[in-house]
Amino acid sequence: MQITSPEFKKNARSALSDTQLQKALGHVRTGFIDKRQASVDALPEFDELRDSARAIKDHTLAHLDLYLERYEEKVKSAGGYVHWAETAEDARSVILDICRAAGARTVTKGKSMITEEIGLNEFFEKEGVRPVETDLGEYIIQLRGEHPSHIIAPAVHLNKEQVEADFRRVHDHLRPNRDLSEPESLLAEARRVLRSEYFTADVGITGANFLVAETGSSVIVTNEGNGDLTQTLPRVHVVVASIEKVVPTLEDMSQILRVLARSATGQDMSVYTTVSTGPRRPGDPDGPDEYHVVLLDNGRSSMLGTEFQDMLRCIRCGACMNHCPIYHAVGGHAYGWVYPGPMGAVLTPSLAGIDKSGHLPNASTFCGRCEAVCPMKIPLPKMMRHWREREFARGLNPATQRYGLRAWALFASRPRLYHLAASFAIPALSFFTGRRPRFRYLPFAGGWTRHRDLPAPENRTFLQQWRSRQAAKQEAQA
Amino acid sequence: MSGREAILKKVRGALGAPLDDAARAKAVRQRLAKAPTGVVPARGRLPEEERIALFRQMAEKVSATVEHVKKTGDVPNAVAAYLRSKNLPASVRMGGDERLRAMPWGRVKALETKTGPADPDDEVGVSHALAGIAETGTVALYSGVENPTTVNFLPEHHIVVVDAKDIEGDLETTLSRLKKRFGKGKMPRTLNLITGPSRSGDIEQKLLLGAHGPRALHLIVVDDGRIGNKL
Ligand code: SF4
């Protein structure tokens, strides 16, 4: 996928004035947050489970090489194949080889962010293999030639009228005057259309939420059942997963499962948790004849041992973006690559390079909600700050920002000068607000004030207020 | 250098781990051997009667329907009654599972029972669960010679029989039951943990039942004198 993260500002600007998008984003602002809260409130042990889940991943990452070796050994002993891919390109070519060997023309796909990361669909199309996304949201955006705007709700940026228009355009073999006004009828149509695809496909590709070293199993967690049909009906099942998905045991998987669905959709458990181990066994009436796992690194090993290692605990639940005021305002596409929201702001520079990720680490108000809800307790704001520091050290941010920061540093390191300047600046700023406590317009801050007001500073500086409050307190005590 | 060696070398390098560090290897061996159980919610540790009630409550919360029958022999009648109540044709698909086969299907007149993997046209599938999991209202099913996976996903209605004595409190107990059956570190090809009927919220976050898998999940709990008439 073409990365447009350096255009974050431009992307954000057009997202803010996109009325369809703004309407659709309303569903994120309310739905996800309330549902998560309700399910967390109903489980007193939730926070203890978060600590347990974090400890499991920390232990696994510290022994990652050994768990990967053990996992591979168990997959092989169950009759499966493991392919190691250092880069996206390696992964694509291994997958293509498997498809060619199977004589595949059509490939069904369960929802997988990893195959987005390696740009598998575009690659398949170039190579003459037809990929069919089967998750409803993924199917819709595939019809539109788009990419997911959310890691668990790929089509969250769309409204039902847009989906209806796409279905009418693409499913042109169906009655033109059929009723598609409600989500129910849209879902029923997608279900019918996709049913036949499961049976035509020669290869089914899924991601994995976990790889279990103890048993050599891959685990998918879904609600629709499409992932299961994708991996059960074709002759060949290919799992594409990144190396940090491994956990030691089934018991460890269980711990993380308890925080995954609650953080993602507010369910206690997703509808289908499927643990798969190897291909069809002798005498089995169904299931794939071949079972392959493609283990992808693609930059993750270089995060180990750095200040970004904690990011590898991420279980892709989406809670951080569901609670992010920036994501609420601009949606996922503005982030310009596969992973949006706070987790994307940290991951994209790690995987695609900081010079290609531009402003992403700045796409934050540092309100800290992402870290507060992250089931794996990943310090997302801290890591965004690390990227900002690196960006600054490498001179990647624009000149105005650098000069601005330097000017600020000049004042900040000279307290007297700072207070003097602040006490002049406040009355000067009130010139722009008039009597209202918010700016509708401020010179040099048009990027902010075009879409929202800027709160005006209080009449006095913080220190002035502090001093007079302390004085009042002391007087009261005396 | 192969991809495998390159990745493992990078991982070891980044972690600063020497190739043959006995202490690390031991930590991993022990963790895998002991498979420690972590935090289990209190609701997963209830006494039998409350556990069975919680199973029902949680399953209903996720839109499954639940009914209790007294004994195994009552299952075919319950299945037939379900089909009638939903205006479904008198035909079900099931695997050759011996617990299902042992039931008196012949006693229900005009009910067709087809065995083997599911067809796209099958409307109703019947399976027998390894266990129920009370904390989440989940049923655990595994694949095998007599248990096709397609029965769990292709039909519009999925009926799952679960014995009350197999309803466990938590996922961990169910996993250890599985380990006992297959041996530690060994697994059936597919373990399905199913919690309610299939659903999607992908269009405007509106939750709809019956995405690609079954639209309805009906659970028949065989009490066998455990609950008696208390429910
Ligand atoms: S960073 Fe945390 S909250 Fe965000 S997707 Fe990953 S695990 Fe979920």
Side-chain angles (χ1 to χ4, degrees), chain A residues 151-152 260 263-264 310-311 313-323 340-344 346-347 369-371 373-380 383:
Chain A
I151 58 173
I152 65 157
L260 173 58
S263 303
D310 290 346
M311 192 61 218
R313 290 201 299 263
C314 175
I315 52 172
R316 307 286 189 266
C317 71
C320 54
M321 57 198 76
N322 293 341
H323 291 76
M343 57 81 76
V346 174
L347 208 53
R369 281 165 88 192
C370 50
E371 182 176 358
V373 297
C374 173
M376 306 307 285
K377 298 201 169 172
I378 298 172
L380 293 154
M383 286 190 280

Side-chain angles (χ1 to χ4, degrees), chain A residues 137 160 191 214 252 258 286, chain B residues 31 150 172 184 202 213:
Chain A
K160 62 178 192 232
R191 179 184 166 114
E214 177 190 19
D252 294 323
R258 287 204 182 91
D286 51 19
Chain B
R31 172 115 200 167
T150 41
E172 280 77 357
K184 188 173 158 18
D202 273 347

Side-chain angles (χ1 to χ4, degrees), chain A residues 65-344:
Chain A
D65 49 327
L66 300 172
Y67 282 117
L68 286 170
E69 284 173 332
R70 165 67 182 229
Y71 168 74
E72 179 190 42
E73 187 192 315
K74 294 300 281 186
V75 175
K76 284 184 175 166
S77 69
Y81 301 92
V82 178
H83 312 265
W84 301 69
E86 272 187 275
T87 62
E89 199 187 338
D90 293 349
R92 287 191 300 260
S93 74
V94 173
I95 298 168
L96 185 66
D97 287 347
I98 299 169
C99 292
R100 290 265 150 87
R105 269 186 288 173
T106 301
V107 171
T108 41
K109 289 182 65 206
K111 182 170 162 28
S112 139
M113 291 309 296
I114 282 291
T115 60
E116 293 286 342
E117 179 183 324
I118 63 173
L120 190 60
N121 287 4
E122 289 92 334
F123 175 73
F124 268 160
E125 273 153 23
K126 253 193 272 147
E127 298 293 334
V129 176
R130 189 172 71 100
V132 180
E133 294 289 350
T134 60
D135 170 84
L136 178 61
E138 293 280 349
Y139 177 69
I140 293 168
I141 58 168
Q142 190 186 21
L143 297 185
R144 299 172 62 85
E146 289 182 347
H147 291 280
S149 67
H150 189 290
I151 58 173
I152 65 157
V156 78
H157 58 289
L158 298 172
N159 296 299
K160 62 178 192 232
E161 295 76 19
Q162 293 165 289
V163 179
E164 172 175 357
D166 292 317
F167 278 20
R168 291 201 188 280
R169 176 173 55 81
V170 178
H171 304 157
D172 52 6
H173 59 291
L174 299 173
R175 247 183 336 111
N177 57 351
R178 65 198 188 279
D179 178 22
L180 286 179
S181 56
E182 286 307 315
E184 284 81 352
S185 42
L186 294 165
L187 172 65
E189 181 159 312
R191 179 184 166 114
R192 267 199 314 278
V193 170
L194 283 167
R195 265 299 157 108
S196 60
E197 300 284 11
Y198 295 118
F199 289 92
T200 9
D202 312 283
V203 174
I205 298 181
T206 66
N209 292 83
F210 308 97
L211 305 172
V212 185
E214 177 190 19
T215 57
S217 312
S218 57
V219 183
I220 57 170
V221 176
T222 67
N223 277 322
E224 296 186 4
N226 63 306
D228 290 277
L229 291 170
T230 298
Q231 67 172 50
T232 307
L233 293 170
R235 218 175 52 67
V236 179
H237 175 200
V238 181
V239 180
V240 190
S242 49
I243 52 174
E244 84 283 11
K245 290 281 174 249
V246 71
V247 292
T249 63
L250 291 169
E251 282 76 4
D252 294 323
M253 166 198 80
S254 173
Q255 292 292 291
I256 304 178
L257 276 177
R258 287 204 182 91
V259 294
L260 173 58
R262 289 183 172 95
S263 303
T265 51
Q267 289 166 284
D268 294 326
M269 179 108 170
S270 300
V271 178
Y272 301 114
T273 299
T274 300
V275 185
S276 309
T277 315
R280 185 191 285 230
R281 309 267 163 95
D284 274 2
D286 51 19
D289 294 331
E290 285 176 35
Y291 175 86
H292 298 263
V293 182
V294 178
L295 277 178
L296 177 73
D297 181 349
N298 207 27
R300 285 160 178 84
S301 57
S302 353
M303 293 166 71
L304 283 171
T306 72
E307 63 263 62
F308 301 109
Q309 172 165 328
D310 290 346
M311 192 61 218
L312 296 173
R313 290 201 299 263
C314 175
I315 52 172
R316 307 286 189 266
C317 71
C320 54
M321 57 198 76
N322 293 341
H323 291 76
C324 175
I326 308 280
Y327 184 95
H328 290 172
V330 301
H333 285 155
Y335 291 80
W337 200 51
V338 182
Y339 302 107
M343 57 81 76

